[in-house]
Amino acid sequence: MFDSGIGGLTVLREARVLMPERHFIYVADDAGFPYGGWEEDALKKHIIALFDRLLAQHDPEICVIACNTAFTLVGADLRATFPKMRFVGTVPAIKPAAERTRSGLVSVLATPGTVKRAYTRDLIQSFATQCHVRLVGSENLARMAEAYIRGETLSDEAVEAEIDQCFIEKDGRKTDIVVLACTHYPFMANVFRRLAPWPVDWLDPAEAIARQTRRLVPPLEILAPGEDIAVFTSSQPDFATRRLMQGFGLTV
């Protein structure tokens, strides 16, 4: 299970519920985090080279790319480069949002990389042409979520500044669904709910990703050997991060 940082733990949490007999390797590319500042070609090369090493070292049964920014950029390249490996991707949950909205006003809260990706706009064109979809690219929220997960305090004003563009009023209608298009963001869902100007459905894709992974991995009658481990590409996770991983039952 791969993410640019520790946001993919939201997906790991759901995957463990559906696959209790499996063990997991959680990979956090903290040396490359955040991905928003990378040039696209450089980030593609970085992720493919990283997977070349990870697959050789760990030989997983399946890979979950628990990062919208990474998968919308390099998902097709990973499948082409490693054709024998199965990849489960993470994309903005625009289709289910379009199916559920009553007001027709949907916002997608994402990183700038995910917002500018043609993949994201293709999803809107394919599944949400009947809706008004606002793409909100936050420069800071992934970093803020990492800090929040580690127990740091964030000001309400700082969080509001990142999410306020999600809320639209138009012809008597209001935004009723916000897609959380970064796996870091669900950790802050309770903060978002408290600060939202009106109630909305904060759509978290983690359960859907876990269900898709379960469909591709046959059940085992006995517990797989081994333990759940966390790998940090910097090889230098700080104390708070190590403690967090321990809380998730992961050995760094």
Side-chain angles (χ1 to χ4, degrees):
M1 194 157 293
F2 176 84
D3 183 49
S4 61
I6 56 181
L9 292 172
T10 58
V11 182
L12 174 66
R13 184 168 54 191
E14 298 294 336
R16 278 174 158 169
V17 172
L18 296 181
M19 293 176 281
E21 83 284 6
R22 282 304 199 285
H23 282 293
F24 294 85
I25 302 164
Y26 185 85
V27 180
D29 185 19
D30 60 330
F33 179 83
Y35 283 167
W38 286 72
E39 292 293 331
E40 289 192 356
D41 285 345
L43 184 55
K44 277 186 180 183
K45 292 176 182 177
H46 168 76
I47 293 175
I48 290 172
L50 183 56
F51 266 85
D52 194 37
R53 299 194 299 273
L54 289 169
L55 296 180
Q57 183 175 358
H58 298 289
D59 190 26
E61 185 175 5
I62 194 167
C63 291
V64 179
I65 311 301
C67 174
N68 289 267
T69 301
F71 188 75
T72 55
L73 174 66
V74 77
D77 299 85
L78 285 170
R79 285 171 172 156
T81 306
F82 308 104
K84 294 183 179 180
M85 178 54 57
R86 291 176 296 177
F87 291 92
V88 175
T90 303
V91 301
I94 290 168
K95 181 181 179 182
E99 293 169 346
R100 296 183 194 181
T101 181
R102 294 185 176 184
S103 70
L105 300 178
V106 172
S107 291
V108 178
L109 182 60
T111 64
T114 299
V115 162
K116 70 182 182 182
R117 208 75 76 223
Y119 197 121
T120 303
R121 299 182 187 277
D122 288 346
L123 288 173
I124 296 171
Q125 187 63 36
S126 298
F127 302 114
T129 53
Q130 79 281 17
C131 302
H132 175 84
V133 180
R134 170 172 283 189
L135 297 175
V136 180
S138 170
E139 292 279 355
N140 303 307
L141 202 52
R143 279 198 190 94
M144 293 166 67
E146 291 247 340
Y148 181 79
I149 296 166
R150 292 184 175 95
E152 297 180 27
T153 301
L154 303 175
S155 74
D156 287 352
E157 292 76 15
V159 178
E160 286 175 336
E162 301 299 319
I163 69 172
D164 62 0
Q165 293 301 309
C166 293
F167 299 92
I168 306 169
E169 295 187 69
K170 185 177 182 181
D171 301 327
R173 297 174 292 134
K174 295 181 178 181
T175 302
D176 62 352
I177 294 182
V178 178
V179 176
L180 297 176
C182 172
T183 53
H184 285 74
Y185 298 169
F187 277 117
M188 296 184 65
N190 286 336
V191 179
F192 298 158
R193 291 188 186 98
R194 179 170 59 81
L195 297 177
W198 58 78
V200 300
D201 182 5
W202 300 92
L203 199 55
D204 176 5
E207 185 179 350
I209 300 164
R211 286 199 306 268
Q212 175 62 8
T213 309
R214 172 78 283 180
R215 281 192 286 267
L216 296 173
V217 176
L220 299 176
E221 294 183 0
I222 59 173
L223 180 67
E227 61 180 349
D228 291 358
I229 65 172
V231 176
F232 288 81
T233 57
S234 71
S235 300
Q236 296 177 332
D238 60 23
F239 174 77
T241 302
R242 287 178 176 273
R243 185 172 59 184
L244 178 67
M245 295 297 109
Q246 185 178 26
F248 270 82
L250 293 163
T251 300
V252 178

